[in-house]
Amino acid sequence: MSSCFTISLSLLFFFVNFAGTESAPTFLRHYCPNTTLFTPNSAYQFNLNTLLSSLSSAAADTADGFANATVGQNPPDQVYGLFLCRGDVNTAMCSDCVATGKQDILQRCPNRRMSVIWYDECMLRYSDGFIYSVMEPVPSFTMYHTENISDPTWFMQVLRETMDNITARASVGKSGKKVAVAEANFTSFQNLYTLAQCTPDLTESECSTCLQAAIEGLPQGKQGGMLFTPSCITRFELYQFYNASAMAALVPLPSNLPSPPALVTRRKGIMCIDIEIFPWRLRFCSTQDCAE
C-alpha cells in the first residue's frame, strides 16, 4: 500500500512584472521531503552534481526551454532530472534561471534524494525515481493577490472560459512547447491575462488533465493568482506578465482545435485549514490516496 500527501499553500502574494527584463530569477517555492536522504560524499551526490551541471549546460543551448537527463547506471545511485522554463522567456533568461536553481536547490534541500524548486521563470527538479513522461499534479502550491475582484461572478465566468481555451491550446503543443496565453476583456477598462503550461514530455491528455485540475484549484474572486505543480502551471493577472511578442512567435493556433475537455472533479477527502498571520494568509490542504 502506498500513499501520497498533498500540500497547497496560499499566500498573500504580489506578483511583480519581470517580463522582458534580465533581472534575477524570482523565487517562488521549493519542495524537498525529508523522508529520503542521501549520504554526503556518496555516489548519489556525485551523480546529482553531474546531473545538475548537465541540465544547466542544456539550458544554455536549447530554444525549447526544456530538457531532461539521467546520471548513473543502477539504483539507488541513479538520479533523474529535468527543467522547464516559462514559454515566453528567452534562452539567456532560461539559462540564468536554471543556473540559479542548480545552486539554490542544493542549499534549500540539502542531502535530499528528491527536490523541486520553482521560480517565476523556470522549474527545476530531480529524483531517484523515474520522472519522465509522468504526470504529477502533486505537490501543488497556490499564490494569490489579497485584493478581491469587482463582480466576481462575471470575472470567474470569463476566467473559466479563457482558461479552458488555453488548456486546449497548450495541451496540443504544436510549437514544441505545451504553453498558451490569452487576453480577454473583463471590463471596458480592464483586461485579463492568462497562461497555461505543461512539461512537453506529457501527452495531450495528461497535459489537459493536469491543467484542468490546476484550474479547479485557482483562487476564487481574486485579482491575480497562480497554481504550480511539477508537471504544469496556470496563472492569471490583470496585467500582462508574459512577453506577448515571444508568445506570438510560436506556432499559431490551429482552426480545428477540439473543444476543451470536461472539468476534472476534485477528489474527495480533502481537508483545508486557513490561518491568518498578518500579513500572510496561509491555506494548508491535505489528502491521502492509497493503492493496493
Side-chain angles (χ1 to χ4, degrees):
M1 181 177 295
S2 61
S3 64
C4 65
F5 182 74
T6 306
I7 301 175
S8 176
L9 173 64
S10 295
L11 300 175
L12 269 173
F13 186 80
F14 181 79
F15 291 113
V16 180
N17 185 0
F18 287 95
T21 67
E22 297 299 330
S23 57
T26 306
F27 172 76
L28 297 178
R29 194 67 167 81
H30 68 276
Y31 174 74
C32 40
N34 59 10
T35 54
T36 54
L37 304 176
F38 64 79
T39 304
N41 302 316
S42 62
Y44 188 87
Q45 183 177 30
F46 176 82
N47 290 339
L48 174 59
N49 291 337
T50 303
L51 173 88
L52 294 176
S53 294
S54 175
L55 291 174
S56 182
S57 297
D61 296 331
T62 181
D64 294 332
F66 174 82
N68 57 42
T70 305
V71 177
Q73 297 298 319
N74 301 296
D77 299 326
Q78 198 169 36
V79 56
Y80 305 86
L82 60 82
F83 69 83
L84 174 70
C85 290
R86 204 178 67 203
D88 63 308
V89 306
N90 58 35
T91 302
M93 187 181 297
C94 178
S95 175
D96 182 52
C97 185
V98 175
T100 299
K102 167 191 170 184
Q103 304 297 329
D104 208 9
I105 199 169
L106 295 177
Q107 295 176 1
R108 295 179 183 271
C109 303
N111 303 330
R112 301 303 200 274
R113 295 183 67 88
M114 61 176 296
S115 300
V116 191
I117 190 166
W118 290 270
Y119 299 86
D120 190 22
E121 299 81 4
C122 74
M123 177 268 296
L124 174 67
R125 63 182 299 213
Y126 69 84
S127 176
D128 57 357
F130 192 79
I131 59 175
Y132 311 145
S133 302
V134 178
M135 194 270 288
E136 297 192 40
V138 293
S140 66
F141 298 96
T142 306
M143 292 182 170
Y144 62 89
H145 290 280
T146 53
E147 296 86 355
N148 292 323
I149 198 73
S150 61
D151 195 353
T153 301
W154 171 242
F155 180 80
M156 292 309 298
Q157 180 180 336
V158 174
L159 177 61
R160 178 82 243 187
E161 292 174 354
T162 308
M163 282 294 185
D164 282 345
N165 176 273
I166 61 175
T167 290
R169 291 164 50 197
S171 300
V172 173
K174 293 294 186 180
S175 67
K177 297 181 179 181
K178 288 188 179 294
V179 61
V181 298
E183 176 183 348
N185 293 324
F186 168 49
T187 70
S188 57
F189 304 102
Q190 283 185 315
N191 288 343
L192 171 67
Y193 300 89
T194 58
L195 177 145
Q197 184 172 8
C198 297
T199 57
D201 57 336
L202 298 183
T203 66
E204 179 179 343
S205 174
E206 290 169 337
C207 178
S208 177
T209 298
C210 189
L211 290 174
Q212 287 288 344
I215 291 170
E216 288 298 296
L218 286 172
Q220 303 284 311
K222 298 299 182 180
Q223 291 190 10
M226 67 187 302
L227 188 147
F228 46 95
T229 79
S231 291
C232 67
I233 181 173
T234 57
R235 181 176 175 182
F236 68 94
E237 300 288 352
L238 296 183
Y239 64 89
Q240 187 172 286
F241 59 91
Y242 51 80
N243 187 325
S245 298
M247 292 304 304
L250 299 178
V251 175
L253 171 66
S255 59
N256 60 343
L257 270 177
S259 300
L263 300 183
V264 175
T265 302
R266 292 185 181 179
R267 290 176 296 180
K268 297 180 180 180
I270 298 178
M271 180 178 66
C272 298
I273 300 175
D274 288 330
I275 303 174
E276 293 277 358
I277 307 177
F278 184 83
W280 303 107
R281 177 180 299 157
L282 298 92
R283 173 175 298 163
F284 297 95
C285 298
S286 66
T287 182
Q288 190 171 33
D289 295 334
C290 299
E292 296 293 336

